[in-house]
Amino acid sequence: MRRAESSADRAVRALEWNDRMKPDRDPQDATLGESATIRVRGTVQGVGFRPSVWRLANEEGLVGEVRNEGGGVRIEVGGGAEAMARFLARLERELPPLARIEALEVERSSASLAMSEFRIVASEPGRAWARIAADAAICAACSQELFDPNDRRF
């Protein structure tokens, strides 16, 4: 039985296709800096998605940032082409248990990001519209944070 193609599979295929369509691209340039803006829609807020993105990006040696935005999560990521392709493939395969990706949009750039690490940044202000996982229950540690007057989430 053939597995249905995922959003990440399509994104990786698009990156590979873009590389083949660039006649002036030297195959040895795979380690040179490239970047992409990735917008992820679905159940990706409040489910540990950003820490998961941070872990994957660091394991692949990428730089950039991840943040919540109105309808999902935006990832600015930079690094070598092969590491970026692995990151995209793993992004959908290695989701936190409650996360679900409905759409994944990749906008690629040949510009390098002027960053030295990958980080989780504060959510963008503005109108929010995001899915909440139906089975999500608050864990003991989160509950403690919510009721601790010294915690920023109080």
Side-chain angles (χ1 to χ4, degrees), residues 117-132:
E117 63 183 2
F118 196 91
R119 60 194 178 140
I120 299 173
V121 296
S123 300
E124 276 188 4
R127 185 179 170 129
W129 183 92
R131 296 187 186 273
I132 304 299

PDB file of all heavy atoms in Angstrom, residues 117-132:
ATOM      1  N   GLU A 117      22.183  31.140  15.772  1.00  0.00           N
ATOM      2  CA  GLU A 117      21.527  30.057  16.498  1.00  0.00           C
ATOM      3  C   GLU A 117      20.073  29.966  16.064  1.00  0.00           C
ATOM      4  O   GLU A 117      19.585  30.818  15.337  1.00  0.00           O
ATOM      5  CB  GLU A 117      21.595  30.290  18.007  1.00  0.00           C
ATOM      6  CG  GLU A 117      20.846  31.543  18.440  1.00  0.00           C
ATOM      7  CD  GLU A 117      20.970  31.826  19.927  1.00  0.00           C
ATOM      8  OE1 GLU A 117      21.665  31.085  20.623  1.00  0.00           O
ATOM      9  OE2 GLU A 117      20.358  32.812  20.374  1.00  0.00           O
ATOM     10  N   PHE A 118      19.406  28.937  16.532  1.00  0.00           N
ATOM     11  CA  PHE A 118      17.970  28.815  16.311  1.00  0.00           C
ATOM     12  C   PHE A 118      17.291  29.088  17.639  1.00  0.00           C
ATOM     13  O   PHE A 118      17.735  28.596  18.676  1.00  0.00           O
ATOM     14  CB  PHE A 118      17.593  27.411  15.807  1.00  0.00           C
ATOM     15  CG  PHE A 118      16.214  27.378  15.221  1.00  0.00           C
ATOM     16  CD1 PHE A 118      16.018  27.596  13.877  1.00  0.00           C
ATOM     17  CD2 PHE A 118      15.101  27.175  16.022  1.00  0.00           C
ATOM     18  CE1 PHE A 118      14.740  27.598  13.327  1.00  0.00           C
ATOM     19  CE2 PHE A 118      13.826  27.174  15.496  1.00  0.00           C
ATOM     20  CZ  PHE A 118      13.644  27.388  14.136  1.00  0.00           C
ATOM     21  N   ARG A 119      16.227  29.886  17.613  1.00  0.00           N
ATOM     22  CA  ARG A 119      15.570  30.262  18.866  1.00  0.00           C
ATOM     23  C   ARG A 119      14.059  30.295  18.739  1.00  0.00           C
ATOM     24  O   ARG A 119      13.520  30.432  17.644  1.00  0.00           O
ATOM     25  CB  ARG A 119      16.092  31.611  19.346  1.00  0.00           C
ATOM     26  CG  ARG A 119      15.835  32.703  18.343  1.00  0.00           C
ATOM     27  CD  ARG A 119      16.613  33.949  18.635  1.00  0.00           C
ATOM     28  NE  ARG A 119      16.302  34.900  17.570  1.00  0.00           N
ATOM     29  CZ  ARG A 119      16.118  36.169  17.742  1.00  0.00           C
ATOM     30  NH1 ARG A 119      16.245  36.700  18.936  1.00  0.00           N
ATOM     31  NH2 ARG A 119      15.829  36.949  16.739  1.00  0.00           N
ATOM     32  N   ILE A 120      13.413  30.179  19.878  1.00  0.00           N
ATOM     33  CA  ILE A 120      11.968  30.340  19.973  1.00  0.00           C
ATOM     34  C   ILE A 120      11.739  31.788  20.386  1.00  0.00           C
ATOM     35  O   ILE A 120      12.312  32.254  21.366  1.00  0.00           O
ATOM     36  CB  ILE A 120      11.366  29.392  21.026  1.00  0.00           C
ATOM     37  CG1 ILE A 120      11.628  27.933  20.640  1.00  0.00           C
ATOM     38  CG2 ILE A 120       9.872  29.653  21.189  1.00  0.00           C
ATOM     39  CD1 ILE A 120      11.216  26.926  21.708  1.00  0.00           C
ATOM     40  N   VAL A 121      10.925  32.514  19.627  1.00  0.00           N
ATOM     41  CA  VAL A 121      10.671  33.923  19.945  1.00  0.00           C
ATOM     42  C   VAL A 121       9.203  34.120  20.327  1.00  0.00           C
ATOM     43  O   VAL A 121       8.348  33.264  20.073  1.00  0.00           O
ATOM     44  CB  VAL A 121      11.077  34.855  18.783  1.00  0.00           C
ATOM     45  CG1 VAL A 121      12.572  34.782  18.532  1.00  0.00           C
ATOM     46  CG2 VAL A 121      10.331  34.509  17.511  1.00  0.00           C
ATOM     47  N   ALA A 122       8.928  35.267  20.909  1.00  0.00           N
ATOM     48  CA  ALA A 122       7.575  35.589  21.381  1.00  0.00           C
ATOM     49  C   ALA A 122       6.578  35.571  20.226  1.00  0.00           C
ATOM     50  O   ALA A 122       6.923  35.850  19.072  1.00  0.00           O
ATOM     51  CB  ALA A 122       7.583  36.959  22.044  1.00  0.00           C
ATOM     52  N   SER A 123       5.355  35.255  20.559  1.00  0.00           N
ATOM     53  CA  SER A 123       4.275  35.222  19.569  1.00  0.00           C
ATOM     54  C   SER A 123       4.044  36.612  18.987  1.00  0.00           C
ATOM     55  O   SER A 123       4.255  37.621  19.652  1.00  0.00           O
ATOM     56  CB  SER A 123       2.981  34.743  20.225  1.00  0.00           C
ATOM     57  OG  SER A 123       3.161  33.451  20.763  1.00  0.00           O
ATOM     58  N   GLU A 124       3.598  36.644  17.735  1.00  0.00           N
ATOM     59  CA  GLU A 124       3.270  37.910  17.098  1.00  0.00           C
ATOM     60  C   GLU A 124       1.958  38.434  17.664  1.00  0.00           C
ATOM     61  O   GLU A 124       1.011  37.671  17.832  1.00  0.00           O
ATOM     62  CB  GLU A 124       3.096  37.717  15.583  1.00  0.00           C
ATOM     63  CG  GLU A 124       4.363  37.756  14.827  1.00  0.00           C
ATOM     64  CD  GLU A 124       4.137  37.752  13.313  1.00  0.00           C
ATOM     65  OE1 GLU A 124       2.987  37.797  12.854  1.00  0.00           O
ATOM     66  OE2 GLU A 124       5.140  37.718  12.610  1.00  0.00           O
ATOM     67  N   PRO A 125       1.893  39.739  17.932  1.00  0.00           N
ATOM     68  CA  PRO A 125       0.618  40.283  18.391  1.00  0.00           C
ATOM     69  C   PRO A 125      -0.367  40.338  17.228  1.00  0.00           C
ATOM     70  O   PRO A 125       0.016  40.302  16.072  1.00  0.00           O
ATOM     71  CB  PRO A 125       0.990  41.693  18.862  1.00  0.00           C
ATOM     72  CG  PRO A 125       2.232  42.037  18.114  1.00  0.00           C
ATOM     73  CD  PRO A 125       2.941  40.733  17.849  1.00  0.00           C
ATOM     74  N   GLY A 126      -1.616  40.409  17.555  1.00  0.00           N
ATOM     75  CA  GLY A 126      -2.634  40.505  16.518  1.00  0.00           C
ATOM     76  C   GLY A 126      -3.725  39.483  16.726  1.00  0.00           C
ATOM     77  O   GLY A 126      -3.748  38.745  17.711  1.00  0.00           O
ATOM     78  N   ARG A 127      -4.612  39.441  15.777  1.00  0.00           N
ATOM     79  CA  ARG A 127      -5.746  38.537  15.862  1.00  0.00           C
ATOM     80  C   ARG A 127      -5.280  37.090  15.726  1.00  0.00           C
ATOM     81  O   ARG A 127      -4.587  36.732  14.779  1.00  0.00           O
ATOM     82  CB  ARG A 127      -6.747  38.864  14.768  1.00  0.00           C
ATOM     83  CG  ARG A 127      -7.998  38.053  14.882  1.00  0.00           C
ATOM     84  CD  ARG A 127      -8.965  38.422  13.791  1.00  0.00           C
ATOM     85  NE  ARG A 127     -10.038  37.450  13.806  1.00  0.00           N
ATOM     86  CZ  ARG A 127     -11.296  37.778  13.835  1.00  0.00           C
ATOM     87  NH1 ARG A 127     -11.640  39.039  13.827  1.00  0.00           N
ATOM     88  NH2 ARG A 127     -12.211  36.840  13.828  1.00  0.00           N
ATOM     89  N   ALA A 128      -5.683  36.278  16.669  1.00  0.00           N
ATOM     90  CA  ALA A 128      -5.272  34.871  16.666  1.00  0.00           C
ATOM     91  C   ALA A 128      -6.417  33.984  16.221  1.00  0.00           C
ATOM     92  O   ALA A 128      -7.570  34.217  16.568  1.00  0.00           O
ATOM     93  CB  ALA A 128      -4.810  34.463  18.057  1.00  0.00           C
ATOM     94  N   TRP A 129      -6.075  33.009  15.426  1.00  0.00           N
ATOM     95  CA  TRP A 129      -7.013  31.965  15.043  1.00  0.00           C
ATOM     96  C   TRP A 129      -6.198  30.693  14.913  1.00  0.00           C
ATOM     97  O   TRP A 129      -5.394  30.558  13.997  1.00  0.00           O
ATOM     98  CB  TRP A 129      -7.690  32.263  13.715  1.00  0.00           C
ATOM     99  CG  TRP A 129      -8.698  31.233  13.374  1.00  0.00           C
ATOM    100  CD1 TRP A 129     -10.020  31.283  13.678  1.00  0.00           C
ATOM    101  CD2 TRP A 129      -8.485  29.984  12.686  1.00  0.00           C
ATOM    102  NE1 TRP A 129     -10.640  30.148  13.234  1.00  0.00           N
ATOM    103  CE2 TRP A 129      -9.725  29.328  12.623  1.00  0.00           C
ATOM    104  CE3 TRP A 129      -7.380  29.351  12.155  1.00  0.00           C
ATOM    105  CZ2 TRP A 129      -9.883  28.087  12.034  1.00  0.00           C
ATOM    106  CZ3 TRP A 129      -7.547  28.112  11.573  1.00  0.00           C
ATOM    107  CH2 TRP A 129      -8.788  27.502  11.507  1.00  0.00           C
ATOM    108  N   ALA A 130      -6.364  29.822  15.864  1.00  0.00           N
ATOM    109  CA  ALA A 130      -5.590  28.583  15.850  1.00  0.00           C
ATOM    110  C   ALA A 130      -6.442  27.465  16.420  1.00  0.00           C
ATOM    111  O   ALA A 130      -7.318  27.694  17.243  1.00  0.00           O
ATOM    112  CB  ALA A 130      -4.312  28.741  16.668  1.00  0.00           C
ATOM    113  N   ARG A 131      -6.165  26.254  15.980  1.00  0.00           N
ATOM    114  CA  ARG A 131      -6.869  25.088  16.489  1.00  0.00           C
ATOM    115  C   ARG A 131      -6.272  24.659  17.828  1.00  0.00           C
ATOM    116  O   ARG A 131      -5.078  24.736  18.031  1.00  0.00           O
ATOM    117  CB  ARG A 131      -6.759  23.936  15.504  1.00  0.00           C
ATOM    118  CG  ARG A 131      -7.431  24.235  14.195  1.00  0.00           C
ATOM    119  CD  ARG A 131      -7.431  22.989  13.326  1.00  0.00           C
ATOM    120  NE  ARG A 131      -7.945  23.289  12.024  1.00  0.00           N
ATOM    121  CZ  ARG A 131      -9.231  23.266  11.717  1.00  0.00           C
ATOM    122  NH1 ARG A 131     -10.123  22.956  12.618  1.00  0.00           N
ATOM    123  NH2 ARG A 131      -9.640  23.537  10.499  1.00  0.00           N
ATOM    124  N   ILE A 132      -7.132  24.194  18.686  1.00  0.00           N
ATOM    125  CA  ILE A 132      -6.712  23.664  19.975  1.00  0.00           C
ATOM    126  C   ILE A 132      -6.970  22.164  19.957  1.00  0.00           C
ATOM    127  O   ILE A 132      -8.029  21.716  19.536  1.00  0.00           O
ATOM    128  CB  ILE A 132      -7.496  24.321  21.135  1.00  0.00           C
ATOM    129  CG1 ILE A 132      -7.344  25.841  21.094  1.00  0.00           C
ATOM    130  CG2 ILE A 132      -7.066  23.763  22.477  1.00  0.00           C
ATOM    131  CD1 ILE A 132      -5.926  26.347  21.248  1.00  0.00           C
TER     132      ILE A 132
END
